[in-house]
Amino acid sequence: MKYGHFDDRNKEYIIQKPDTPYPWINYLGSEEFFGLISNTAGGYSFYKDASKRRLTRYRYNNVPTDAGGRYYYIYEKGEYFSPAWAPQKSNLDSYQCRHGLGYTIIESEKNLLKTEMKFFVPLGDNLEIHQIKIKNLSNEHRKIKLFSFLEFCLYDAEDDMTNFQRNFNTGEVEVDGSTIYHKTEYRERRNHYSFYTVNQEISGFDTDRESFLGLYNSFSNPDVLKTGESNNSIAHGWSPIGSHSLEIELNAGQEKEFIFQLGYIENKEEEKWESKGVINKNKAKKLISKYNSSDKVNKAFKKLSKHWEKLLSSFSIKHPDPKLERMVNIWNQYQNMVTYNLARSASYFESGISRGIGFRDSNQDLLGSAHMIPERVKKRIKDLASTQFEDGSAFHQYQPLTKKGNDKIGSGFNDDPLWLIFAVAAYIKETGDYEILKETVPFNNGKKATIFDHLEASFMHVVNNLGPHNLPLIGHADWNDCLNLSAFSEKPGESFQTVSNKDNSPAESVMIAGMFLTAGPDFVHLSRKMNKNKLAKKAEMALEEMKAAVNKYGRDDEWFVRAYDYYSKPLGTKDNKYAKIFIEPQGFCIMGGIGLKDGFAEKTLDSVNRKLNSEHGLMILDPTIKEYQINMGEVSSYPPGYKENGAIFCHNNPWIMIAETIIGNGERAFEYYSKIAPAYREDISKLHRTEPYVYAQMIAGKDAASFGEAKNSWLTGTAAWNFVAISQWMLGIRPDFDGLKIDPCIPAEWDEYTVIRKFRGCKFKINVKNPKNINKGVEKIFVDGKEIEGQLLKTHDKDESKVEVIMG
Ligand code: BGC
Ligand code: NOJ
């Protein structure tokens, strides 16, 4: 069952029922001011950091769900309704929500009033615009009232939810004309405030929640809407809110428009006050006047559309399959930008307070955005590198506002260092900018280092931390956060991630070995580029040794072993009771080149197909673990079929897709792709539950009660990796150090497709023909009519080039 449909021309998903199987959200903003918005206007806004600078309040896991948002109410003759459906669950005559690139439009009709609400964050400024149009569809002149409502959060989201003994006393506001200023804590240590305004004269306001709602009411039946009269309340402590009321007269057929703005302002210490106790509003007023008319707002909206058009124009495909087109051209790339911006901080599954920017996560996200925003990617690489320790290990996470590592979680995830090599290599392959290697970014201890030094530290961290089988020590965990082999947790509530009670654990990871072999050749190449030939040789030797170790200790009969536990017993082998096979090393060892000559890669991928494939995608392991295994940790804490214990973990399915393309199996690669790509699952939205336009982290596996149900949508490495798999390995347009490699591996039945790829200043229009209907192999390539040797498109000074690729 579907709840809407794709509008590819406008690059929107149109939701036609407000009560979707889960709130289906979108993101506003892509620089410093962000908002999450659901299809019924739920969600919240923050400046830079969802944890430390939350502007409006949201209640996760509330009853009913999706509690808190940008709520509007229309009042007429003693009755009222919510034009966005929420919070009143109004019985609307029509409803639709259009989630687009960086904006959301909710349209509805009720009582012959047509409402359109457009939400977006303009480029370059720290505010959210709510552009609201109300049209009178009746033949009568009408007098209505529009009420706005949002709840201010006291900036620190965690404190806001917990420290009531203090917080109920601190709330402060100012009201000036139509603008409500939220200035809690501004008098002391904060130099920022937020404001909520509308570009019309108001008939009243409220800033105190209790006055607006009444203590025992919910958002759906505020006291103020019973009378239709605001109280003009001023918040002193308790819970500050912003609510305006507007008296609106509409002739028959008339439409009126209102611009609401929710903004964020910072003032310099010496410019904080206008007079004693009165905040300096100059910057706010300036910002407000920049967007206080429909014309100005429409222009800003156009600019935003152009911005997205440009971002997405770096890669697009023409293909007979509309689902593939909408994934590749629009939604996958859009999700890549969102994951770039927000890492794993704020979604409807990530509360904004538990994690900041993850070292491993962000490095992987960059793989999906380097082609769109190389400059920003470069900056992020430097931020990430600066949280790295001199020995190559890294803070697992850092806070975006402070750019400081999170002490609570610390370091010791031994895959982390290697992801930096993946990210830097991807950046250089995209841009050709080797200069980044020479840029200085000190280690976490302040010691001066170049980016190349960071890569060397990353590489050597593996070399210097090998276990009894010469495989990499796993530390707290590798990519699989829940495979915790170096601590045995018995205490309820203890964090599996950080507990360490088995110091000097010899547990080893075959997956890290595979990663090392995958990233290693790039490191060798970069070392040579830096004229570090001795180091390159040393690295090559280390890679050879790792290969030998994997061949010797990393193979089971028919697939790769996953790890060695604290007792140096293998995990992920046919002899284990549970989890005989894990997905991760199968993908990475093959990407790292193991088993390509002796048929082991084929055998392995057949095993993956036999054991892990399901109608909803590839499961992370099999058989699922039925009892808690203290030597394995969190992975065995999940009920079978969920999360790391046997769900379809969408993040690592593309590793298998890529491995399949390496052995030339385009059928299977694409089968796996289309099983988890959300656009292909749109028809089963009722089962899938999360948004049909973005990937979810996981889909419940076959042992779960809800096989096929997705969770954790939006912020997941799934986005970047699936884009890498489809664009670089299946469609075969792959940036490499010396050019753009053309190497498709597709289903045989595909006859033709065209990719437009902007690469190092040239727009390549690449037409791929498959006359013999094969999976892989390139017979000829013509660039602007001239046949070239090999499969590499070199950079040249032309702005545009036509490329003909004949497979064969
Ligand atoms: C999740 C990770 C998370 C970890 C923390 C895992 O189940 O997949 O997203 O980092 O739990 O507990
Ligand atoms: C999600 C985490 O963000 C990521 O870092 C981890 O690799 C996966 N879960 C798998 O555990």
Side-chain angles (χ1 to χ4, degrees):
M1 179 175 172
K2 300 205 299 183
Y3 293 78
H5 60 90
F6 286 93
D7 177 344
D8 297 329
R9 231 171 47 112
N10 291 312
K11 302 189 171 61
E12 291 174 346
Y13 191 82
I14 304 190
I15 301 167
Q16 281 156 316
K17 273 170 73 61
D19 48 343
T20 41
Y22 205 70
W24 286 359
I25 72 161
N26 193 14
Y27 286 84
L28 312 175
S30 54
E31 295 161 321
E32 303 192 322
F33 190 106
F34 292 96
L36 283 72
I37 183 162
S38 73
N39 56 312
T40 58
Y44 61 96
S45 313
F46 59 92
Y47 173 74
K48 276 192 185 171
D49 190 321
S51 168
K52 305 278 178 236
R53 207 54 55 85
R54 180 101 43 120
L55 305 181
T56 60
R57 188 176 282 152
Y58 186 75
R59 290 176 181 75
Y60 278 92
N61 201 11
N62 207 291
V63 179
T65 193
D66 200 16
R70 306 127 181 108
Y71 290 147
Y72 289 90
Y73 306 82
I74 293 177
Y75 175 95
E76 187 179 28
K77 294 188 189 147
E79 294 193 353
Y80 63 94
F81 66 94
S82 321
W85 189 71
Q88 197 206 29
K89 292 216 268 177
S90 304
N91 193 7
L92 301 171
D93 300 328
S94 77
Y95 157 92
Q96 90 176 7
C97 166
R98 290 153 55 191
H99 282 319
L101 308 179
Y103 68 91
T104 286
I105 299 171
I106 302 178
E107 293 159 293
S108 70
E109 275 180 38
K110 186 166 172 69
N111 305 344
L112 294 176
L113 287 172
K114 183 173 183 313
T115 312
E116 182 192 296
M117 303 192 273
K118 183 190 266 179
F119 303 88
F120 72 101
V121 172
L123 289 172
D125 280 313
N126 293 323
L127 83 165
E128 193 176 290
I129 290 172
H130 309 168
Q131 184 179 19
I132 301 188
K133 295 179 192 167
I134 305 179
K135 187 170 183 182
N136 176 5
L137 300 178
S138 76
N139 297 324
E140 288 158 26
H141 176 92
R142 295 164 75 171
K143 279 186 181 175
I144 60 169
K145 281 188 174 185
L146 175 66
F147 287 85
S148 67
F149 171 82
L150 52 78
E151 239 185 312
F152 293 114
C153 182
L154 307 179
Y155 300 115
D156 183 320
E158 189 165 10
D159 190 71
D160 181 77
M161 288 191 304
T162 48
N163 196 9
F164 303 110
Q165 59 80 26
R166 168 178 159 82
N167 295 342
F168 283 163
N169 301 287
T170 58
E172 286 189 299
V173 296
E174 277 179 38
V175 180
D176 180 22
S178 297
T179 309
I180 296 165
Y181 294 89
H182 174 228
K183 60 169 189 178
T184 301
E185 286 194 345
Y186 184 80
R187 60 157 81 211
E188 18 135 351
R189 294 161 301 175
R190 296 190 183 275
N191 68 341
H192 45 263
Y193 60 78
S194 45
F195 65 83
Y196 185 34
T197 190
V198 56
N199 67 341
Q200 311 266 327
E201 210 172 289
I202 55 176
S203 58
F205 62 85
D206 272 293
T207 67
D208 168 57
R209 192 180 72 208
E210 207 173 310
S211 309
F212 179 82
L213 286 181
L215 186 56
Y216 293 102
N217 295 331
S218 71
F219 300 131
S220 65
N221 57 340
D223 269 349
V224 158
L225 270 296
K226 286 184 196 143
T227 57
E229 294 298 330
S230 298
N231 297 306
N232 299 342
S233 60
I234 295 289
H236 299 284
W238 296 110
S239 301
I241 61 156
S243 171
H244 311 89
S245 61
L246 279 76
E247 279 168 8
I248 303 168
E249 292 204 28
L250 291 168
N251 292 326
Q254 193 183 7
E255 180 176 86
K256 283 193 178 163
E257 189 170 324
F258 311 90
I259 316 285
F260 288 84
Q261 303 173 33
L262 168 69
Y264 171 85
I265 297 292
E266 281 178 5
N267 276 336
K268 286 197 190 125
E269 191 56 37
E270 59 279 12
E271 290 168 5
K272 274 178 78 167
W273 304 101
E274 181 183 304
S275 58
K276 197 162 191 297
V278 180
I279 60 175
N280 179 347
K281 306 181 179 67
N282 285 343
K283 279 187 171 177
K285 287 185 176 155
K286 235 177 158 175
L287 187 56
I288 291 169
S289 68
K290 204 169 159 188
Y291 298 101
N292 61 356
S293 76
S294 307
D295 260 9
K296 295 177 191 171
V297 166
N298 293 340
K299 266 196 204 121
F301 186 71
K302 266 208 190 110
K303 217 166 126 195
L304 182 69
S305 308
K306 285 245 162 67
H307 165 79
W308 278 106
E309 223 166 82
K310 182 155 176 261
L311 283 179
L312 299 191
S313 68
S314 324
F315 194 107
S316 67
I317 172 183
K318 250 194 106 36
H319 190 281
D321 177 357
K323 291 180 182 156
L324 184 64
E325 282 192 343
R326 62 178 67 119
M327 281 313 314
V328 171
N329 295 347
I330 307 169
W331 295 98
N332 196 173
Q333 296 195 70
Y334 182 52
Q335 188 176 3
N336 288 345
M337 280 306 302
V338 174
T339 54
Y340 170 84
N341 288 329
L342 295 170
R344 305 294 170 271
S345 66
S347 73
Y348 268 27
F349 297 88
E350 300 278 8
S351 63
I353 55 177
S354 51
R355 299 199 270 172
I357 305 267
F359 192 85
R360 156 202 304 146
D361 295 330
S362 283
N363 275 307
Q364 288 174 86
D365 293 342
L366 303 186
L367 308 179
S369 42
H371 67 293
M372 290 185 274
I373 44 160
E375 277 309 309
R376 290 178 71 191
V377 158
K378 183 177 184 177
K379 277 199 202 112
R380 178 66 61 78
I381 286 174
K382 289 164 130 188
D383 283 350
L384 287 162
S386 71
T387 65
Q388 188 176 34
F389 297 92
E390 202 180 338
D391 73 351
S393 63
F395 264 115
H396 196 47
Q397 294 159 4
Y398 72 86
Q399 274 320 120
L401 203 62
T402 59
K403 300 203 173 148
K404 290 272 173 288
N406 290 350
D407 288 323
K408 258 198 217 158
I409 182 128
S411 72
F413 296 78
N414 285 350
D415 64 316
D416 272 342
L418 287 177
W419 293 116
L420 189 65
I421 304 182
F422 280 87
V424 174
Y427 168 79
I428 298 175
K429 287 176 183 174
E430 182 62 41
T431 57
D433 172 22
Y434 285 98
E435 291 304 301
I436 188 178
L437 296 173
K438 298 181 192 149
E439 298 217 14
T440 41
V441 176
F443 285 111
N444 182 267
N445 60 5
K447 189 163 167 208
K448 205 170 155 197
T450 63
I451 287 287
F452 184 80
D453 295 334
H454 283 272
L455 300 191
E456 182 178 347
S458 291
F459 189 88
M460 293 315 290
H461 188 265
V462 176
V463 177
N464 294 335
N465 289 280
L466 298 176
H469 301 92
N470 280 332
L471 293 166
L473 292 172
I474 194 169
H476 284 311
D478 58 22
W479 171 87
N480 188 332
D481 266 330
C482 301
L483 193 61
N484 313 121
L485 308 182
S486 303
F488 290 2
S489 178
E490 283 178 303
K491 289 194 200 114
E494 195 165 59
S495 160
F496 286 104
Q497 313 280 300
T498 51
V499 56
S500 63
N501 54 22
K502 291 271 178 280
D503 289 345
N504 304 319
S505 160
E508 297 164 288
S509 161
V510 178
M511 183 203 162
I512 300 182
M515 283 178 68
F516 183 72
L517 293 171
T518 307
D522 285 350
F523 176 71
V524 170
H525 171 87
L526 297 178
S527 305
R528 294 234 153 82
K529 278 277 171 187
M530 295 291 287
N531 289 321
K532 306 218 175 201
N533 294 322
K534 246 178 141 175
L535 177 64
K537 277 237 160 76
K538 188 170 149 196
E540 277 172 333
M541 263 171 60
L543 289 168
E544 280 311 311
E545 282 163 20
M546 189 67 78
K547 234 180 232 167
V550 174
N551 278 326
K552 190 156 177 202
Y553 300 111
R555 292 187 187 207
D556 197 22
D557 296 350
E558 299 187 30
W559 56 78
F560 291 96
V561 173
R562 176 62 175 90
Y564 283 84
D565 71 5
Y566 181 74
Y567 305 109
S568 283
K569 294 250 163 56
L571 297 175
T573 76
K574 63 175 189 320
D575 302 325
N576 294 108
K577 182 170 173 200
Y578 302 125
K580 292 172 190 288
I581 174 171
F582 283 82
I583 202 170
E584 304 95 316
Q586 323 311 333
F588 264 107
C589 289
I590 295 173
M591 285 192 260
I594 306 250
L596 298 184
K597 294 206 180 101
D598 59 5
F600 195 71
E602 277 85 355
K603 200 190 254 181
T604 294
L605 290 171
D606 283 345
S607 307
V608 168
N609 189 260
R610 243 185 8 261
K611 305 247 172 218
L612 301 178
N613 197 14
S614 80
E615 69 182 281
H616 297 292
L618 296 166
M619 292 169 295
I620 190 170
L621 56 78
D622 187 75
T624 52
I625 307 167
K626 310 294 190 299
E627 298 105 32
Y628 180 49
Q629 311 286 314
I630 198 161
N631 62 328
M632 293 177 86
E634 186 169 356
V635 62
S636 61
S637 74
Y638 288 113
Y642 292 99
K643 293 282 279 183
E644 280 83 345
N645 187 12
I648 293 128
F649 223 88
C650 300
H651 185 147
N652 50 36
N653 279 227
W655 301 342
I656 300 298
M657 297 170 205
I658 295 170
E660 289 286 4
T661 66
I662 289 173
I663 64 158
N665 195 338
E667 307 301 328
R668 270 208 204 136
F670 191 71
E671 177 202 327
Y672 297 151
Y673 175 80
S674 55
K675 273 188 172 156
I676 61 167
Y680 290 83
R681 300 176 60 79
E682 189 195 8
D683 287 339
I684 53 163
S685 285
K686 194 167 180 193
L687 172 68
H688 183 78
R689 291 193 71 186
T690 59
E691 299 88 342
Y693 40 91
V694 289
Y695 283 97
Q697 180 203 57
M698 68 136 235
I699 298 171
K702 74 171 167 27
D703 287 359
S706 56
F707 182 34
E709 176 188 62
K711 287 191 190 117
N712 299 9
S713 54
W714 280 101
L715 302 183
T716 159
T718 308
W721 272 109
N722 274 278
F723 191 71
V724 169
I726 187 72
S727 64
Q728 300 189 14
W729 296 89
M730 282 177 258
L731 300 170
I733 313 295
R734 186 157 71 244
D736 210 334
F737 290 118
D738 298 321
L740 194 58
K741 182 147 188 210
I742 309 297
D743 188 20
C745 182
I746 55 175
E749 63 171 40
W750 289 11
D751 296 324
E752 184 179 357
Y753 60 91
T754 303
V755 172
I756 296 186
R757 175 63 153 96
K758 289 190 188 154
F759 183 72
R760 301 190 195 170
C762 178
K763 184 166 159 187
F764 288 102
K765 189 168 175 201
I766 306 163
N767 177 252
V768 179
K769 287 205 171 70
N770 186 16
K772 297 184 186 139
N773 286 103
I774 56 171
N775 287 135
K776 189 172 176 166
V778 168
E779 194 183 306
K780 284 181 178 164
I781 298 183
F782 300 90
V783 178
D784 296 321
K786 262 204 209 132
E787 186 167 354
I788 60 161
E789 284 227 353
Q791 290 171 246
L792 203 64
L793 306 183
K794 299 265 176 160
T795 356
H796 54 213
D797 350 312
K798 286 196 193 148
D799 292 342
E800 279 192 46
S801 262
K802 268 209 165 115
V803 181
E804 285 281 325
V805 180
I806 315 288
M807 292 178 69

